[in-house]
Amino acid sequence: MPRGALYSSIMNALTPTPSPPMIDPFGRRISYLRVSVTDRCDFRCVYCMAEDMTFLPKAEVLTLEELDRLCSAFVGLGVKKLRLTGGEPLVRKGIMQLIRNLSRHLQTGALDELTLTTNGSQLGKYARELADCGVKRINVSVDSLDPEKFTRITRWGKLEPVLDGIAAAKAAGIRVKLNTVALKGVNDDEFYRLVEWCGENGHDITFIEVMPMGDIGGENRVDQFFPISLLRSHLAKRWTLKDSSHYSGGPARYVTVEETGQRVGFITPLTHNFCEACNRVRLTCTGTLYMCLGQDDAADLRAPLRQSESDELLLAAIREAIRRKPKGHDFIIDRDHQGPAVERHMSVTGG
Ligand code: SAM
Ligand code: SF4
């Protein structure tokens, strides 16, 4: 068989047959899947994890082949955007093979975007290969540009390799957006500087409010909480912020900074302003599907995945789960609610 024909026949075999799209009970079309490919991480950010974490035994975690099969089933059900996250996605062994395999859905046009959220520690090593796999944009989490403070926040992280990784991604033609969690008394003196640095380097940035997810050891989320409304008015004293029509399909609301031309996004998960347009579901590395970041209801997809080589049971389980997608979340942080609103850490569902 000629090489071209062989390639197309392999592609066809690996491409899911399209079926009717997933529509939830509130009429929202599910087109975005976020997959936490590992719960492990080389950092221990103070708002995300306790320092002494117990991770899942390896046997419970889906293999790379199983992750591929699950993601591909979702692509067949109309998912157009796939985000790999974690834990830290780039510390999972063999991750580049998974990304390379998934990129076949970009080539067939079944998928519009394959992207990642990463802490950037391994980005220097993988940036070129990611670009080669068709990754065009990534989110990199940076909460401080001060090396000492960066290490204080991440406990185990170092700023320099992360900044080098961001530069490598940019050089490889990947657009980088920073994710910054706003932390009272920790990085609230750096908001101007972060926006300025992004302007100088051609990056957008999104500021995120702390969400009450998982036990984080001795840390207190009421103490960490910095309201995004205050952050926005704070930035407006220094920068000219113009409302932007940019809409990522997600919870962020954007402005353009007139002086730099870059976008600044704000995510306020404690408000409900994004639930009605929510188009996403989240898959953990054990194959549990969460239909809402802020609710505990979940569906096990690992059992139907492992029960049969055909995808019939799996597809039925996914459709059944989508029928249970709730209207919105119930996050709340105040002095009367100091425990986590949901027990799992953000690293389980990847944010
Ligand atoms: N390790 C990768 C990273 O840090 O980008 C991907 C996973 S991390 C869980 C995804 C995003 O969630 C990061 O931007 C992180 O800052 C954010 N995050 C983690 N825990 C959070 C929390 N409790 N509240 C708000 N954002 C959180
Ligand atoms: Fe790791 Fe990301 Fe959580 Fe930080 S936010 S501990 S980098 S998973």
Side-chain angles (χ1 to χ4, degrees):
M1 195 187 287
R3 256 184 94 182
L6 178 65
Y7 179 76
S8 345
S9 77
I10 292 172
M11 278 303 192
N12 288 340
L14 293 173
T15 303
T17 325
S19 22
M22 298 177 283
I23 312 271
D24 81 357
F26 303 94
R28 296 169 297 191
R29 189 181 176 141
I30 309 305
S31 56
Y32 182 6
L33 176 68
R34 297 170 79 111
V35 185
S36 175
V37 296
T38 176
D39 62 331
R40 290 166 195 252
C41 187
D42 51 345
F43 291 3
R44 291 288 182 278
C45 301
V46 290
Y47 49 80
C48 179
M49 292 190 183
E51 187 153 21
D52 176 23
M53 292 285 287
T54 309
F55 292 111
L56 291 161
K58 287 216 168 87
E60 281 197 31
V61 175
L62 298 179
T63 64
L64 295 172
E65 291 73 18
E66 287 173 328
L67 279 168
D68 186 309
R69 202 177 134 204
L70 260 175
C71 291
S72 301
F74 274 96
V75 171
L77 289 170
V79 158
K80 302 301 273 179
K81 178 170 172 179
L82 197 55
R83 179 179 296 278
L84 305 185
T85 169
E88 175 45 41
L90 295 180
V91 300
R92 169 107 197 227
K93 210 166 157 204
I95 187 66
M96 285 314 302
Q97 193 52 48
L98 176 68
I99 295 174
R100 190 161 288 286
N101 288 345
L102 289 173
S103 73
R104 70 185 182 276
H105 300 305
L106 291 173
Q107 289 166 28
T108 62
L111 197 60
D112 290 341
E113 186 171 14
L114 177 58
T115 184
L116 270 92
T117 300
T118 171
N119 66 22
S121 68
Q122 312 298 312
L123 205 47
K125 193 159 62 182
Y126 293 131
R128 282 214 160 274
E129 209 176 336
L130 287 170
D132 194 45
C133 290
V135 173
K136 297 211 163 17
R137 299 188 303 170
I138 50 171
N139 291 349
V140 183
S141 303
V142 178
D143 299 323
S144 173
L145 290 171
D146 172 327
E148 259 175 49
K149 200 191 288 181
F150 184 88
T151 298
R152 221 181 314 137
I153 297 171
T154 58
R155 292 199 187 100
W156 297 359
K158 293 220 176 338
L159 179 64
E160 203 185 326
V162 172
L163 295 186
D164 289 349
I166 292 174
K170 187 178 168 188
I174 299 176
R175 276 193 68 91
V176 175
K177 179 169 76 66
L178 259 61
N179 274 352
T180 301
V181 176
L183 298 163
K184 188 163 77 184
V186 179
N187 63 359
D188 46 2
D189 57 339
E190 282 193 73
F191 297 152
Y192 290 147
R193 176 64 193 131
L194 280 156
V195 169
E196 186 177 52
W197 187 84
C198 284
E200 288 160 6
N201 290 281
H203 308 304
D204 293 341
I205 180 168
T206 297
F207 290 101
I208 309 169
E209 263 173 9
V210 170
M211 293 179 233
M213 296 189 70
D215 182 12
I216 48 172
E219 310 283 336
N220 182 333
R221 285 211 169 85
V222 178
D223 293 342
Q224 294 179 343
F225 187 71
F226 191 100
I228 288 293
S229 51
L230 189 60
L231 189 153
R232 188 181 165 144
S233 49
H234 184 67
L235 289 183
K237 289 186 190 144
R238 164 87 172 267
W239 306 102
T240 317
L241 308 181
K242 293 235 149 157
D243 275 328
S244 158
S245 57
H246 178 73
Y247 179 58
S248 63
R253 296 288 170 266
Y254 289 91
V255 295
T256 302
V257 179
E258 206 167 71
E259 292 84 351
T260 69
Q262 293 304 134
R263 276 193 289 259
V264 177
F266 303 100
I267 299 189
T268 54
L270 304 189
T271 70
H272 281 257
N273 64 7
F274 63 85
C275 294
E276 65 273 17
C278 181
N279 62 354
R280 61 192 60 191
V281 287
R282 297 171 162 84
L283 187 68
T284 72
C285 59
T286 56
T288 302
L289 186 73
Y290 283 94
M291 287 72 83
C292 173
L293 180 63
Q295 301 277 2
D296 282 325
D297 187 29
D300 172 33
L301 300 182
R302 189 176 57 185
L305 179 83
R306 290 188 173 167
Q307 225 164 316
S308 150
E309 276 181 19
S310 120
D311 281 348
E312 224 166 285
L313 294 173
L314 175 63
L315 295 177
I318 296 174
R319 287 202 181 277
E320 198 279 321
I322 299 301
R323 282 198 287 275
R324 302 206 312 262
K325 185 167 161 68
K327 194 166 177 203
H329 63 71
D330 293 323
F331 283 139
I332 180 164
I333 296 184
D334 63 28
R335 300 243 162 239
D336 297 330
H337 300 81
Q338 297 212 357
V342 290
E343 292 299 326
R344 63 183 187 277
H345 289 90
M346 185 74 104
S347 49
V348 172
T349 44

